[in-house]
Amino acid sequence: MSVLARYRSLTESGVLGLNKRNGDYIMRFNPRRLYPLVDDKLQTKQLAIKAGIAVPALYGVIETQHDIRELGTMVAGHREFVLKPAHGSSGDGIIVIAGRSGTRYRTINGTLLDTEFLNHHLSNAISGQFSLGGIQDTVIVEAMVHFSPHFESLSFEGVPDVRVIVFRGIPVMAMVRLPTRQSHGKANLHQGAVGAGIDIATGTTLGGVMSGEVIDTHPDTGVVIAGLTIPEWDTMLDISARCYELTGMGYIGVDIVLDRDLGPLVLELNARPGLAIQIANQQGLLRRLEICEELANFDAPPAERIAFAKQHFAHPVGPVISPAEMEGQIG
Amino acid sequence: MRNRQLYILASLLAVAGLSIFLFKYQTLGFPVRADAETQVWNVEAAVNFEPGPASVKVTLQIPSLTPGFTLLDESFVSRGFGLSTHNTTNGREAQWAVREADGPQTVYYRALVYRDPAKATEDSTPPFPEIPEFDEPSRIAVDGLIAEVRRQSADVASFTSELLRHIDNAGSDQYVRLFLSATSSPNAKAQFATRVLAAAQVPARVSHGVYLKEETAAARTVPLLEVHDGVEWLYFDPVTRAQGWPQDFLVWWRGNGPIADVDGGVDVDVSLAVQRSVLNSLEVAERRMDSMGSQAFDFSLFSLPITTQAVYSVLVMIPIGALVIVLLRNFVGIKTFGTFMPVLVALAFRETRLLWGIVLFAVIVALGLLIRFYLERLRLLLVPRLTCVLTVVVILMAGISVLSQRLDIQPGLSIALFPMVIISMTIERMSIVWEERGASEALQEGIGSLVVAALTYVVMGIPWLSHLIFVFPELLLVVLAVTLLTGRYTGYRLLELKRFRSFAKPANPAGSPP
């Protein structure tokens, strides 16, 4: 297929490209001054707690090299915890501790880490090794998510999470990211996790993609991906829609995990959500964004915005047909 | 709205840049090609004479108004004479004077001219001439001649050519033979024509010049009759009677006087020589600015000291390199380490040449990565670790230089120009990507950076492009305009066509479930 034909077919499918995402959505709807709210996961977390949106419990914050020594006291009462750089991107620098073995910490994959290693890691993180642009960072110490067995058959190690793109308060597209052996248990599509689109209206999964290729079954567990119902889907839609009021950002990705006991928890917000979600859904984002801009009332309360999303974004979403074109088809 | 502002700004910048460019190219004659040469002529007049016992004054008519040619440079050579130049009603003259001179003397005037089609025959409209005085029989003859010529002509042009035809038949024409014979010189014929034309109230003059066709050691001056028809000057060759400006004709002086006049000398002989040569066009432009007293050169990059010029000849190409990066990143979608790292690496390639540059870059980064992986095990803090990598990079560069000197590999020495801080940062970023995202992604981005650097190097090294930007730095405004426009390109990137290939199936308007 020629370059031009490909270009045209992407346009027809309403696929959102990086240039358009940056120029027409992120720049227009994500004011620069609000970035710290989402780039700093600590601020996001504190805002969410204030707004009553469920997040993993905060055990403590490590801000200086001196604080590293306090880690022991911070997690004294907790067998499991997560260390997460506040400015980390795409899961870099996160360590999940699932238990202890003598003086050493055991990670979720069973590796034993001594205090010295952990201290070095924390000190690197504070120096900004994992942050964008290498700026000084802080490390969040928070509760580990006990992920719901619901996805057990669909993930290899790691925690699957749900990503919802929220455009000015309206959830426009969603997917669930399933860790694989190739992604080393990380729910990151770049690293080889499986992405499966979610029908916004029903909360059932569509087909999956891995490394840009459409797949039917999970590569490690062999379970069929499509047709699975996401539990507490309405709650997920509700908290993602409310994340708009939380930050004021018009174009964000909300990352949600499902906890066995606590239900959906917001892990983090992303001011530059990736475009792979389109491949997972086999649907273009641009078309949905255009539907919103044409028809939606962005000032409506979250429940109304969700109703709008469910009405318009039931899978599959067809091309936008202008009244003139419709007339032409009838005539 | 914002887009319209952008388009207006971009077009203003482009128009500004292009008009300065065109002005400099067309009017000031800056060359668009580095090897452009301009043909120039060296025209030399030598006045030889035998001085008398008293003071000597030599007056030489020199070129002033020269349609079709521009005077680039002139020089006056003499031995012990005082020199002055004046503007006269007919043009310009040079005057050499000396109180006492012994033996045969020669004074020289030398002019460097080049063809300049833009140099029009600008001149003011002359007043109506005074009717020249003739004695009675001559006046009757002239009146008769004018009456007859006027009868056979319709306007100034045809009047002049008819008059010239009569003059040409000097031997047989009943009026003209009173004044001229068949053997009269073209000069005499032209001067007689101006007198008759003056009597008919038509402004006319004779200009004298040389043809710059080929090199001649002894060029002859040729008269040309210039007649004003009330609107513009018309030109006639008094011999062939052809009308129009002759090609390659350099006007030397105007008027009925001789080219040179020596007061206090005898045996005056004026010889003209024409010599053709070529000059670098840039040099011609520069000398021309000088002679015009124009400031264009003083405010160009050429006014800088030569070492600073060398720096700027590189600097002005950086925006071009950055534009290449913009195209490769936003239109193609290649990932690189650091936004402008490839430009700096490309600058380093200028010294090492492409192949060696790539080899050396790969060697340094590979060795640096090895060291960096080892440092990771020592658990150093970030800034000290970066400093260690930087130090190691410098040591590696020095080592490679010394080694290549021993092995007599010249390009190895130029590694000293590699941007080491940038390379250290690249190593650091690459090792993090390596650990977090895997080797393939790290190598992919590393190779991407190298490819972009190589392409940038190639574009920045295009000789005509770097010449163009250096001579016409205002073209950077055009580059700026283009960059502004690319900043609003929101279409797909080339690599996105591949990334979203699963969408690229035959159009399916209803959108079926996958």
Short mmCIF file of all heavy atoms in Angstrom, two decimals, chain B residues 408-437:
data_model
loop_
_atom_site.label_atom_id
_atom_site.label_comp_id
_atom_site.label_asym_id
_atom_site.label_seq_id
_atom_site.Cartn_x
_atom_site.Cartn_y
_atom_site.Cartn_z
N ASP B 408 49.61 6.11 13.01
CA ASP B 408 49.59 7.01 11.86
C ASP B 408 48.22 7.03 11.18
O ASP B 408 48.11 7.03 9.97
CB ASP B 408 50.67 6.61 10.85
CG ASP B 408 51.15 7.85 10.10
OD1 ASP B 408 50.89 8.96 10.60
OD2 ASP B 408 51.75 7.69 9.03
N ILE B 409 47.17 7.01 11.97
CA ILE B 409 45.81 7.15 11.41
C ILE B 409 45.38 8.58 11.70
O ILE B 409 45.02 8.91 12.83
CB ILE B 409 44.83 6.16 12.06
CG1 ILE B 409 45.38 4.74 11.98
CG2 ILE B 409 43.47 6.24 11.37
CD1 ILE B 409 44.58 3.75 12.78
N GLN B 410 45.44 9.43 10.69
CA GLN B 410 45.17 10.85 10.90
C GLN B 410 43.80 11.15 11.52
O GLN B 410 43.71 11.90 12.48
CB GLN B 410 45.33 11.62 9.58
CG GLN B 410 46.76 12.04 9.31
CD GLN B 410 47.34 12.89 10.42
OE1 GLN B 410 46.69 13.79 10.93
NE2 GLN B 410 48.56 12.58 10.84
N PRO B 411 42.73 10.56 10.99
CA PRO B 411 41.41 10.96 11.48
C PRO B 411 41.23 10.73 12.97
O PRO B 411 40.40 11.37 13.62
CB PRO B 411 40.44 10.08 10.68
CG PRO B 411 41.22 9.63 9.50
CD PRO B 411 42.64 9.53 9.94
N GLY B 412 42.01 9.80 13.55
CA GLY B 412 41.89 9.51 14.97
C GLY B 412 42.17 10.72 15.83
O GLY B 412 41.67 10.84 16.94
N LEU B 413 42.99 11.64 15.28
CA LEU B 413 43.36 12.81 16.07
C LEU B 413 42.19 13.77 16.25
O LEU B 413 42.05 14.41 17.27
CB LEU B 413 44.52 13.54 15.39
CG LEU B 413 45.83 12.75 15.37
CD1 LEU B 413 46.88 13.51 14.57
CD2 LEU B 413 46.32 12.53 16.79
N SER B 414 41.36 13.84 15.22
CA SER B 414 40.30 14.84 15.24
C SER B 414 39.18 14.47 16.21
O SER B 414 38.23 15.22 16.38
CB SER B 414 39.74 15.05 13.84
OG SER B 414 39.55 13.81 13.23
N ILE B 415 39.32 13.34 16.86
CA ILE B 415 38.32 12.95 17.85
C ILE B 415 38.26 13.98 18.97
O ILE B 415 37.26 14.10 19.68
CB ILE B 415 38.65 11.56 18.42
CG1 ILE B 415 37.43 10.97 19.09
CG2 ILE B 415 39.81 11.62 19.38
CD1 ILE B 415 37.62 9.56 19.54
N ALA B 416 39.34 14.76 19.10
CA ALA B 416 39.40 15.77 20.15
C ALA B 416 38.24 16.74 20.05
O ALA B 416 37.91 17.42 21.02
CB ALA B 416 40.72 16.51 20.06
N LEU B 417 37.62 16.84 18.88
CA LEU B 417 36.55 17.82 18.71
C LEU B 417 35.19 17.27 19.05
O LEU B 417 34.18 17.94 18.92
CB LEU B 417 36.57 18.33 17.27
CG LEU B 417 37.84 19.14 17.03
CD1 LEU B 417 38.33 18.99 15.62
CD2 LEU B 417 37.58 20.58 17.38
N PHE B 418 35.14 16.02 19.47
CA PHE B 418 33.83 15.46 19.82
C PHE B 418 33.27 16.17 21.05
O PHE B 418 34.02 16.48 21.98
CB PHE B 418 33.97 13.96 20.09
CG PHE B 418 33.68 13.12 18.89
CD1 PHE B 418 34.27 13.41 17.69
CD2 PHE B 418 32.80 12.06 18.96
CE1 PHE B 418 34.00 12.64 16.57
CE2 PHE B 418 32.52 11.30 17.85
CZ PHE B 418 33.13 11.58 16.65
N PRO B 419 31.97 16.43 21.04
CA PRO B 419 31.38 17.09 22.21
C PRO B 419 31.27 16.10 23.36
O PRO B 419 30.34 15.31 23.43
CB PRO B 419 30.00 17.51 21.69
CG PRO B 419 29.71 16.58 20.58
CD PRO B 419 31.00 16.12 20.01
N MET B 420 32.26 16.14 24.26
CA MET B 420 32.35 15.06 25.25
C MET B 420 31.21 15.10 26.27
O MET B 420 30.75 14.06 26.72
CB MET B 420 33.70 15.09 25.95
CG MET B 420 34.05 16.42 26.54
SD MET B 420 35.82 16.64 26.40
CE MET B 420 35.97 18.36 26.69
N VAL B 421 30.78 16.30 26.62
CA VAL B 421 29.68 16.36 27.60
C VAL B 421 28.43 15.70 27.01
O VAL B 421 27.75 14.91 27.66
CB VAL B 421 29.40 17.82 28.00
CG1 VAL B 421 28.18 17.90 28.88
CG2 VAL B 421 30.60 18.40 28.71
N ILE B 422 28.19 16.04 25.75
CA ILE B 422 27.03 15.47 25.07
C ILE B 422 27.16 13.95 24.99
O ILE B 422 26.20 13.21 25.21
CB ILE B 422 26.91 16.08 23.65
CG1 ILE B 422 26.64 17.57 23.74
CG2 ILE B 422 25.85 15.38 22.85
CD1 ILE B 422 25.26 17.93 24.19
N ILE B 423 28.37 13.49 24.68
CA ILE B 423 28.57 12.04 24.57
C ILE B 423 28.36 11.37 25.93
O ILE B 423 27.74 10.32 26.02
CB ILE B 423 29.97 11.75 23.99
CG1 ILE B 423 29.94 12.09 22.50
CG2 ILE B 423 30.35 10.29 24.19
CD1 ILE B 423 31.16 11.68 21.75
N SER B 424 28.84 12.03 26.99
CA SER B 424 28.64 11.45 28.32
C SER B 424 27.16 11.33 28.64
O SER B 424 26.70 10.31 29.17
CB SER B 424 29.31 12.33 29.39
OG SER B 424 30.64 12.56 29.04
N MET B 425 26.41 12.40 28.33
CA MET B 425 24.97 12.36 28.59
C MET B 425 24.31 11.26 27.75
O MET B 425 23.41 10.57 28.21
CB MET B 425 24.31 13.70 28.28
CG MET B 425 24.75 14.85 29.16
SD MET B 425 24.47 14.53 30.91
CE MET B 425 22.70 14.62 30.98
N THR B 426 24.79 11.13 26.51
CA THR B 426 24.23 10.09 25.65
C THR B 426 24.48 8.71 26.25
O THR B 426 23.57 7.87 26.29
CB THR B 426 24.88 10.17 24.25
OG1 THR B 426 24.72 11.49 23.76
CG2 THR B 426 24.25 9.17 23.30
N ILE B 427 25.69 8.51 26.75
CA ILE B 427 26.01 7.22 27.36
C ILE B 427 25.10 6.97 28.56
O ILE B 427 24.53 5.88 28.72
CB ILE B 427 27.50 7.19 27.79
CG1 ILE B 427 28.38 7.17 26.54
CG2 ILE B 427 27.79 6.01 28.68
CD1 ILE B 427 29.85 7.37 26.82
N GLU B 428 24.93 8.00 29.40
CA GLU B 428 24.09 7.85 30.59
C GLU B 428 22.65 7.50 30.20
O GLU B 428 22.06 6.54 30.70
CB GLU B 428 24.14 9.16 31.39
CG GLU B 428 23.20 9.21 32.58
CD GLU B 428 23.63 8.29 33.70
OE1 GLU B 428 24.80 7.86 33.71
OE2 GLU B 428 22.79 8.00 34.57
N ARG B 429 22.09 8.29 29.25
CA ARG B 429 20.71 8.05 28.84
C ARG B 429 20.56 6.68 28.21
O ARG B 429 19.60 5.95 28.45
CB ARG B 429 20.26 9.12 27.82
CG ARG B 429 20.26 10.53 28.38
CD ARG B 429 18.87 10.97 28.81
NE ARG B 429 17.86 10.70 27.81
CZ ARG B 429 17.44 11.59 26.93
NH1 ARG B 429 17.95 12.80 26.93
NH2 ARG B 429 16.50 11.29 26.07
N MET B 430 21.56 6.32 27.40
CA MET B 430 21.48 5.05 26.69
C MET B 430 21.53 3.89 27.68
O MET B 430 20.79 2.92 27.53
CB MET B 430 22.65 4.96 25.71
CG MET B 430 22.44 3.94 24.63
SD MET B 430 23.58 4.23 23.28
CE MET B 430 23.36 2.72 22.37
N SER B 431 22.37 4.03 28.72
CA SER B 431 22.47 2.91 29.66
C SER B 431 21.17 2.77 30.44
O SER B 431 20.74 1.66 30.77
CB SER B 431 23.65 3.12 30.59
OG SER B 431 23.30 3.98 31.64
N ILE B 432 20.51 3.91 30.73
CA ILE B 432 19.24 3.82 31.46
C ILE B 432 18.18 3.17 30.58
O ILE B 432 17.46 2.26 31.01
CB ILE B 432 18.81 5.21 31.94
CG1 ILE B 432 19.71 5.62 33.10
CG2 ILE B 432 17.35 5.19 32.40
CD1 ILE B 432 19.45 6.98 33.65
N VAL B 433 18.11 3.63 29.32
CA VAL B 433 17.14 3.02 28.41
C VAL B 433 17.44 1.52 28.26
O VAL B 433 16.54 0.68 28.24
CB VAL B 433 17.18 3.72 27.03
CG1 VAL B 433 16.32 2.98 26.02
CG2 VAL B 433 16.70 5.15 27.16
N TRP B 434 18.73 1.20 28.21
CA TRP B 434 19.17 -0.20 28.07
C TRP B 434 18.61 -1.03 29.21
O TRP B 434 18.05 -2.11 29.01
CB TRP B 434 20.70 -0.23 28.08
CG TRP B 434 21.31 -1.54 27.67
CD1 TRP B 434 21.17 -2.73 28.31
CD2 TRP B 434 22.14 -1.78 26.54
NE1 TRP B 434 21.87 -3.70 27.66
CE2 TRP B 434 22.49 -3.14 26.56
CE3 TRP B 434 22.65 -0.96 25.52
CZ2 TRP B 434 23.31 -3.71 25.59
CZ3 TRP B 434 23.46 -1.54 24.58
CH2 TRP B 434 23.79 -2.90 24.60
N GLU B 435 18.74 -0.51 30.43
CA GLU B 435 18.29 -1.29 31.59
C GLU B 435 16.79 -1.32 31.73
O GLU B 435 16.21 -2.33 32.11
CB GLU B 435 18.92 -0.72 32.86
CG GLU B 435 20.38 -1.06 32.95
CD GLU B 435 20.93 -0.87 34.34
OE1 GLU B 435 20.20 -0.32 35.19
OE2 GLU B 435 22.06 -1.27 34.57
N GLU B 436 16.15 -0.17 31.42
CA GLU B 436 14.71 -0.08 31.66
C GLU B 436 13.90 -0.68 30.54
O GLU B 436 12.87 -1.29 30.75
CB GLU B 436 14.31 1.38 31.87
CG GLU B 436 14.99 2.07 33.03
CD GLU B 436 14.44 1.62 34.38
OE1 GLU B 436 13.31 1.10 34.40
OE2 GLU B 436 15.13 1.80 35.39
N ARG B 437 14.35 -0.46 29.31
CA ARG B 437 13.53 -0.86 28.17
C ARG B 437 14.16 -1.96 27.35
O ARG B 437 13.61 -2.40 26.37
CB ARG B 437 13.29 0.34 27.22
CG ARG B 437 12.93 1.61 27.91
CD ARG B 437 11.44 1.90 27.78
NE ARG B 437 11.07 2.93 28.74
CZ ARG B 437 11.18 4.22 28.51
NH1 ARG B 437 11.63 4.65 27.36
NH2 ARG B 437 10.82 5.09 29.43
#
